[in-house]
Amino acid sequence: GNSVTQMEGPVTLSEEAFLTINCTYTATGYPSLFWYVQYPGEGLQLLLKATKADDKGSNKGFEATYRKETTSFHLEKGSVQVSDSAVYFCALSTGGFKTIFGAGTRLFVKA
Amino acid sequence: NAGVTQTPKFQVLKTGQSMTLQCAQDMNHNSMYWYRQDPGMGLRLIYYSASEGTTDKGEVPNGYNVSRLNKREFSLRLESAAPSQTSVYFCASSPQVTHSGNTIYFGEGSWLTVV
């Protein structure tokens, strides 16, 4: 079946450090891929998405490229801020109503 | 700018008690969902409603019932709460399902503890 695997956290970085959160997937067909972010005490919100191979999603300085050959969708940011501290979820959808979420990766950014 | 609103935000139940989580969205979305979030397990789909008048089971439906009251409202009921249902519950909605998947809009969550 479809699944998403993302790196375990927590990830702790200093402000202005480079961020990578790894995400790989298993899916039949051609899924769309998503990154959602959950700030403390809030629900998840869409950060970025990509709907086909080699697409790059970007938002708020975050980027992720849909790599079909490596079945990956790694999240990157060049310079993190304290306000980026949150839990990040990788997710996939093959259409239909059942989006599959990864377990989440908690990011702490220190000033 | 409410989006998806769910109540209550916090609840403590005794084993065997029943309760209903309420959810409403004001974005005119067709589809609504209930998820639970547990540490290390991400979000798991409990039930969803593709459109008004329909409901379907998700990944973990046992112990829950749902009602799609109208296009705006989708409630989740625990008939006889168990400690295994201690979790954070999220209501969500999406405008329509396409071949490229949904963007899902989430409420702020309901923290439920069953003792």
Side-chain angles (χ1 to χ4, degrees):
Chain A
N2 299 337
S3 66
V4 173
T5 302
Q6 55 183 111
M7 61 188 291
E8 289 189 24
V11 174
T12 302
L13 295 173
S14 297
E15 209 165 22
E16 299 184 1
F18 184 85
L19 168 71
T20 300
I21 300 178
N22 290 338
C23 172
T24 57
Y25 68 91
T26 302
T28 55
Y30 302 95
S32 294
L33 301 173
F34 305 81
W35 278 101
Y36 284 83
V37 58
Q38 183 181 27
Y39 297 105
E42 299 183 10
L44 283 72
Q45 55 186 275
L46 179 68
L47 180 59
L48 54 84
K49 69 177 183 181
T51 58
K52 61 183 187 297
D54 300 323
D55 268 3
K56 177 184 285 188
S58 62
N59 187 25
K60 299 182 181 180
F62 291 89
E63 293 183 340
T65 301
Y66 188 162
R67 303 284 189 201
K68 192 171 189 297
E69 64 276 12
T70 55
T71 62
S72 65
F73 193 54
H74 304 322
L75 182 68
E76 297 182 336
K77 187 175 185 183
S79 176
V80 294
Q81 306 300 313
V82 171
S83 58
D84 294 326
S85 297
V87 182
Y88 293 82
F89 292 89
C90 186
L92 73 82
S93 173
T94 56
F97 298 94
K98 297 182 182 179
T99 299
I100 307 299
F101 289 86
T105 302
R106 185 175 295 277
L107 171 66
F108 292 104
V109 181
K110 303 180 296 184
Chain B
N1 198 18
V4 179
T5 305
Q6 55 182 110
T7 57
K9 195 168 179 72
F10 300 98
Q11 183 73 50
V12 178
L13 286 178
K14 294 182 179 179
T15 298
Q17 285 185 319
S18 63
M19 78 160 295
T20 299
L21 298 174
Q22 306 286 354
C23 175
Q25 53 92 9
D26 63 2
M27 297 176 283
N28 200 36
H29 287 172
N30 288 322
S31 305
M32 297 186 73
Y33 312 81
W34 277 104
Y35 289 88
R36 59 179 289 173
Q37 183 183 28
D38 300 294
M41 302 189 72
L43 276 77
R44 293 182 291 170
L45 183 64
I46 304 171
Y47 270 93
Y48 67 97
S49 170
S51 60
E52 185 179 356
T54 70
T55 61
D56 283 287
K57 295 178 181 179
E59 185 183 353
V60 288
N62 291 346
Y64 305 94
N65 286 301
V66 290
S67 295
R68 183 75 183 267
L69 303 170
N70 47 55
K71 190 170 186 179
R72 291 185 64 247
E73 298 174 287
F74 188 40
S75 62
L76 177 72
R77 183 161 177 83
L78 287 69
E79 291 290 352
S80 179
S84 61
Q85 295 178 303
T86 293
S87 188
V88 183
Y89 291 86
F90 287 97
C91 180
S93 67
S94 64
Q96 62 184 32
V97 175
T98 69
H99 70 279
S100 62
N102 299 324
T103 295
I104 302 173
Y105 297 78
F106 287 85
E108 293 186 345
S110 296
W111 276 254
L112 176 65
T113 301
V114 183
V115 298

